Amino acid sequence: MIDIDRRRLVVGSALGIGALLLPAGAGLAQALTARGFTHNVASGEPGTDSMLLWTRYVAGAVDGEARLQAEVALDPAFTRIVAGGTERTGAYRDWTVKITVDGLKPGTTYYYRFVAPDGSMSPVGRTKTLPEGDVRRFGVAVFSCSNMPLGWFNAYGHAAARPDLDLWMHVGDYLYEYGADHEGDRQVPGRIVTPATEMIAIADYRLRYACYRADPDLQRLHQMAPVVAMWDDHESANDSWEGGAQNHQPAKEGDWNPRRAAAMQVYREWMPVSEEPWKAYQIGSLATLYRTESRLLARTHQADLGPVYGAPDEDVAIAAFRDGAWHDPSATMLGTAQESWLFHGFRGQAGKTAWQMVGMGTIMGRTRMPADAVSWLRPDVTPKKALSYRNDVRAAALGLPMWMDRWDGYPAARARLLTAAQHADTDLVMLSGDSHNAWAYSLVEDGRPAGVEFAGHGVTSSGIEKDMAADPRTVARGFVEGNPELKWADTSQRGYMMIDVTPARVTGEWLFMQTVATRNLGLAGSHRMEVQRGRKAFS
């Protein structure tokens, strides 16, 4: 079994434990002990003629800079170098390097590497530009919710070996902000993260990314294919929004804005992403893929049912919340600027590409807690947890969802997005994560089909099954029977989704890993569903 040596990790990150006591920028580099290429290579933001390339190189002088040369070739031996460029880095950006190369050809596989000032070379990466024209097939792997202490990144390793993967998308929770003791006895041996404390300052975020990016399967996936990535909440703090987060306590942790800024900066340092907050990627005539931002820039505070419980007449109070605050039209996940951009994209691309595919951090499908849920619980769940389930069942009986932190908590904004898709007569496919479990929804707005949603299970993060004593098949069946939009569910397994796109149909396959407790790339099974062009609902 390959383990992550914590001592080597701290050295390789250029952010030793002592650095956590130092200010950001040049001060962090005082703890620098490692040199050279520390975290392999990655690519992202694919275009038909361009690609963003990433690496991390620590130079000899901790307060200096390094200039790296990127080389792009048509073969792994680099006998036919066709593009490249030069970029500089330093401690001010944690020695990460990002360069966008142009002049590439559509639908072409390229190999790339970086050359350091001393002549040393990075590992060789493989990437592929987006195709143009008539595209007959495109494969996208979708990942979410990869909590390192809870298991091995076997899903990444499995996907990295696939010959049919053109692109991978991460829809959020690429890492988690919690301290090392948060998971308690659920932590898997060999998966201890650094720093041991919760991520709050810029040094914390940098060290945590260095920890995650040391994982061999994650490195391999980045090395083999380009990524389109977006953050959700745990890249900053649980249930975050523009003005705060559930897991941010100002009295102890200071003002939210510096923490939010640190989270965004370090994400953009360590990930092969551009500075653009949202972006569209056209895959020839086949599809337009949208990368969205739904957490830190414009999301309003989540509606909160908590204060309603304990009212003199709870049912009356819940109904008042349902008919009032829950439907507030000013509540937004995307903000008006991004909504306008996305809705214009639907209208402009509907006649140009067969499918409009939207990557989203959280689930859009309507989901209420089944009436039988309390009877499924383990007898040893805490009284607080059991009360939460009882409250969700009670709210469901009055027409309210179980997830206020997702699109269900923003019904007016949800209606605006789905109505825009309907008005554009687009074939909408939502690709989402966040819940840790697997779901398939036929989305409906105003009584009419509006599209489908493939909602993915976590890479390692445990889902609702951790609270359940009932057979997972009973739990999944109960959710499907209690939610008209929900057509299928799995509430107990980890893995990733493979989305196969053709002009006639989009097929989604949920792949389930045998385990995350050890490093093992074996599959336990899979489930497939498809939507046919023009149907806007699962077959």
Side-chain angles (χ1 to χ4, degrees), residues 7 98 132 253 336 532:
R7 179 180 175 277
K98 292 195 295 188
E132 280 186 343
E253 297 167 341
T336 56
Q532 297 178 6

Side-chain angles (χ1 to χ4, degrees), residues 60-262:
V62 299
D63 58 349
E65 290 186 325
R67 287 170 174 80
L68 272 71
Q69 179 74 30
E71 296 180 340
V72 181
L74 290 170
D75 65 309
F78 288 80
T79 61
R80 299 174 62 192
I81 296 176
V82 296
T86 303
E87 188 61 77
R88 69 177 68 179
T89 187
Y92 51 85
R93 58 172 303 109
D94 203 16
W95 298 101
T96 60
V97 180
K98 292 195 295 188
I99 182 170
T100 297
V101 293
D102 287 303
L104 308 179
K105 294 182 179 180
T108 302
T109 297
Y110 289 97
Y111 300 87
Y112 64 94
R113 67 188 178 191
F114 291 86
V115 183
D118 62 0
S120 62
M121 296 183 181
S122 71
V124 174
R126 185 182 73 183
T127 193
K128 188 176 183 180
T129 52
L130 297 180
E132 280 186 343
D134 185 21
V135 180
R136 307 312 298 171
R137 186 262 167 197
F138 196 83
V140 182
V142 181
F143 304 89
S144 67
C145 306
S146 40
N147 191 342
M148 179 177 278
L150 291 183
W152 290 85
F153 294 160
N154 296 328
Y156 293 148
H158 188 273
R162 296 187 71 121
D164 56 347
L165 173 60
D166 295 297
L167 172 75
W168 64 286
M169 170 174 270
H170 206 293
V171 294
D173 297 342
Y174 184 91
L175 48 60
Y176 282 67
E177 83 278 18
Y178 300 122
D181 61 350
H182 180 267
E183 304 304 339
D185 59 6
R186 296 194 301 148
Q187 182 162 301
V188 170
R191 304 296 281 177
I192 298 173
V193 295
T194 50
T197 56
E198 183 178 323
M199 299 189 301
I200 297 173
I202 191 170
D204 305 330
Y205 285 96
R206 283 174 167 174
L207 187 55
R208 188 65 58 84
Y209 275 94
C211 180
Y212 273 66
R213 290 293 296 273
D215 180 88
D217 292 310
L218 178 54
Q219 284 196 7
R220 184 62 172 169
L221 184 59
H222 271 299
Q223 188 179 7
M224 296 303 292
V227 61
V228 169
M230 63 201 74
W231 58 56
D232 191 33
D233 54 341
H234 289 291
E235 288 88 349
S236 53
N238 184 56
D239 287 0
S240 52
W241 58 287
E242 182 183 9
Q246 176 275 330
N247 192 30
H248 181 78
Q249 293 75 44
K252 296 189 299 181
E253 297 167 341
D255 184 70
W256 166 247
N257 288 316
R259 183 177 186 179
R260 182 179 71 138

Side-chain angles (χ1 to χ4, degrees), residues 413-492:
R414 179 188 190 273
R416 289 194 297 269
L417 192 154
L418 294 180
T419 298
Q422 290 173 328
H423 286 172
D425 193 26
T426 187
D427 282 272
L428 176 67
V429 176
M430 301 295 301
L431 304 174
S432 61
D434 185 61
S435 79
H436 308 172
N437 294 125
W439 319 85
Y441 298 88
S442 289
L443 304 170
V444 175
E445 181 56 38
D446 196 25
R448 296 182 295 120
V452 302
E453 181 170 32
F454 296 91
H457 44 325
V459 171
T460 61
S461 302
S462 53
I464 199 170
E465 75 281 354
K466 67 181 181 297
D467 297 329
M468 299 296 167
D471 187 317
R473 292 170 294 184
T474 299
V475 176
R477 184 168 58 250
F479 270 99
V480 172
E481 291 174 350
N483 291 282
E485 287 189 346
L486 183 60
K487 303 306 175 184
W488 170 84
D490 178 275
T491 61
S492 65

Side-chain angles (χ1 to χ4, degrees), residues 354-430:
W355 304 94
Q356 306 299 298
M357 305 175 66
V358 181
M360 193 66 65
T362 55
I363 291 173
M364 179 161 284
R366 291 192 176 105
T367 317
R368 298 172 184 169
M369 186 66 74
D372 294 336
V374 175
S375 68
W376 302 333
L377 294 175
R378 294 194 341 257
D380 60 343
V381 297
T382 65
K384 181 179 179 181
K385 177 71 71 172
L387 177 60
S388 174
Y389 276 92
R390 286 196 296 271
N391 286 342
D392 283 343
V393 170
R394 188 171 188 178
L398 294 171
L400 285 168
M402 55 186 278
W403 291 327
M404 289 295 172
D405 185 55
R406 297 160 199 179
W407 280 93
D408 257 348
Y410 300 77
R414 179 188 190 273
R416 289 194 297 269
L417 192 154
L418 294 180
T419 298
Q422 290 173 328
H423 286 172
D425 193 26
T426 187
D427 282 272
L428 176 67
V429 176
M430 301 295 301

